[in-house]
Amino acid sequence: MTLFRSAILMLLAVASLGVGAGDLHARTVLRNIVRVKGQETNVLRGFGLVVGLPGTGEAKDPATMRALARAMEIMGVPVPEVPLGGRSGLQDLEKVKNVALVMVTARVPATGARRGDQIDCYVSGINGKSLNGGRLAFAALQGPHTQDRRVYGLCEGALHLQDPESPMVAIVKGGCQMEEDVFTPFVHNGCITLILEEHHANFQTATEVVDSIHKLYSREGDGFVQAVNASNIVVRIPQEYQDNPVAFVADILDVDIYSAEPEARVIINNRTGTIVISGDVTIGDVVISHNNVVIEAGDPPGFTPIGTEQVNSTKLDALVDALNSIKVPNEDRIEIIKEIARSGKLHGRLIVE
């Protein structure tokens, strides 16, 4: 126990000496932390039939039989409604075991798609035992708005399982051919809207973005760019770019941002044991005893700060490195971080997944 305590204290003391409040944030460009409103991905979805399964389809399922009968009718081989020999057409399909009903989705890129483009589609079985060895016969995909009945894409092709342990989920590479153009307009009322990514959305970063754009286009005056809230910044397109908004967006997204650090946070995945720490998570003065490990973090003995700008704090990643160097089990490291957070000494947001 004494060895563990000495090792932790020594490593934390060394780590805390070089960590001050004046650390500079890394520089980045605006396109790394924002997206342009209107440039979002769109999901197309619909139902389809997978055929050619080696007996792993769904037999005697009314929904599958109706879908198969409808497909046969479209292809010019209608199933007779009048019973033949005492059996109806649907009853004749009861023995079919190589067909399964599936849900099919395709994701249109944020930049849109044009008729004739081929994109990947994803297939998820609704019934049956496995999609392995099957082929998507067809699927008609509609847009995200349920009121829009247009067919945007037609899908077919051989299925490829992404994970053998999930035989009811597959992908068809380039299996969806676009039948309609999907445009993603980004100019609204002569303005564009920049949306900060979730982990960068805060009032400080929004203000920094506004200031940086103002410096580049100072001649445009007040009201040219304004932050609506912590995540949305509206920018008016200058007169010189009215006929070429694409060039304006390209210039805006290349603006340098110097204070784009997200909030300090620690993300812990209990299932995998993963610990992700942003570089600016610090811990306050705290002493924790966990199993055979004693942790003490704080200002080095005899050090008296002259001003608040010189106050040093121990970084959480230094603590984790110290625990790792003396081979503290991962589950104990996770529990120690949680205990620091419960004590109110973790200067950052803890997210447990």
Side-chain angles (χ1 to χ4, degrees):
M1 185 182 213
T2 302
L3 177 60
F4 281 176
R5 179 185 175 91
S6 299
I8 294 292
L9 288 175
M10 178 183 66
L11 287 169
L12 290 184
V14 172
S16 65
L17 288 177
V19 182
D23 290 340
L24 293 178
H25 293 153
R27 185 181 69 175
T28 187
V29 290
L30 195 55
R31 64 174 173 269
N32 292 333
I33 64 171
V34 304
R35 64 179 177 86
V36 180
K37 184 178 180 180
Q39 300 287 281
E40 298 95 6
T41 58
N42 289 277
V43 178
L44 309 178
R45 53 178 60 86
F47 291 96
L49 283 175
V50 169
V51 299
L53 297 171
T56 57
E58 188 73 17
K60 298 182 179 181
D61 177 64
T64 303
M65 290 189 295
R66 286 194 298 270
L68 181 57
R70 175 60 178 159
M72 293 174 66
E73 180 182 355
I74 293 174
M75 299 298 294
V77 189
V79 175
E81 297 181 1
V82 180
L84 298 175
R87 294 175 59 85
S88 67
L90 284 179
Q91 287 177 318
D92 290 336
L93 300 178
E94 288 182 351
K95 297 181 181 180
V96 177
K97 297 181 179 180
N98 64 342
V99 179
L101 190 63
V102 295
M103 168 70 79
V104 183
T105 60
R107 189 174 295 274
V108 180
T111 52
R114 299 295 176 263
R115 184 173 181 177
D117 287 353
Q118 292 182 312
I119 57 179
D120 297 343
C121 59
Y122 300 87
V123 181
S124 302
I126 295 176
N127 53 31
K129 301 178 182 65
S130 172
L131 299 180
N132 190 27
R135 184 181 184 88
L136 179 63
F138 67 88
L141 305 190
Q142 295 178 322
H145 303 293
T146 56
Q147 302 300 322
D148 186 359
R149 309 305 297 175
R150 286 181 295 175
V151 173
Y152 283 88
L154 294 177
C155 306
E156 71 85 28
L159 302 181
H160 301 278
L161 300 185
Q162 293 181 294
D163 183 359
E165 295 183 359
S166 301
M168 296 297 287
V169 181
I171 184 174
V172 182
K173 290 288 188 180
C176 176
Q177 178 170 305
M178 297 298 298
E179 297 296 322
E180 293 279 353
D181 292 336
V182 176
F183 294 99
T184 54
F186 57 91
V187 179
H188 302 277
N189 299 322
C191 299
I192 64 170
T193 300
L194 306 177
I195 302 177
L196 286 165
E197 297 292 350
E198 176 186 0
H199 302 309
H200 292 279
N202 56 66
F203 292 107
Q204 291 79 10
T205 303
T207 302
E208 173 69 18
V209 170
V210 170
D211 292 342
S212 298
I213 295 176
H214 255 310
K215 291 176 183 177
L216 185 63
Y217 294 93
S218 57
R219 63 185 181 278
E220 294 298 326
D222 296 336
F224 162 69
V225 54
Q226 60 180 345
V228 179
N229 50 39
S231 61
N232 291 265
I233 298 103
V234 177
V235 187
R236 187 180 70 250
I237 299 178
Q239 187 62 37
E240 61 186 286
Y241 286 101
Q242 289 293 326
D243 296 329
N244 193 5
V246 172
F248 176 66
V249 173
D251 289 345
I252 286 291
L253 295 183
D254 207 35
V255 171
D256 284 329
I257 300 296
Y258 292 90
S259 303
E261 285 294 308
E263 66 176 343
R265 61 181 62 193
V266 183
I267 303 174
I268 294 176
N269 189 313
N270 282 326
R271 182 177 59 85
T272 62
T274 304
I275 303 173
V276 180
I277 305 170
S278 66
D280 52 359
V281 179
T282 59
I283 55 180
D285 297 343
V286 64
V287 177
I288 292 178
S289 175
H290 181 81
N291 291 339
N292 292 324
V293 180
V294 176
I295 302 159
E296 182 176 344
D299 292 334
F303 175 75
T304 302
I306 298 175
T308 56
E309 71 281 356
Q310 296 183 13
V311 175
N312 295 322
S313 300
T314 302
K315 281 201 170 185
L316 180 61
D317 56 359
L319 169 61
V320 174
D321 289 342
L323 294 173
N324 186 51
S325 68
I326 57 175
K327 303 188 186 313
V328 174
N330 198 51
E331 56 270 20
D332 286 343
R333 278 181 273 170
I334 290 176
E335 190 56 36
I336 288 171
I337 293 174
K338 291 179 180 179
E339 289 173 359
I340 294 175
R342 282 192 288 267
S343 71
K345 294 298 184 178
L346 181 67
H347 301 158
R349 180 182 175 194
L350 177 64
I351 301 174
V352 179
E353 300 177 341

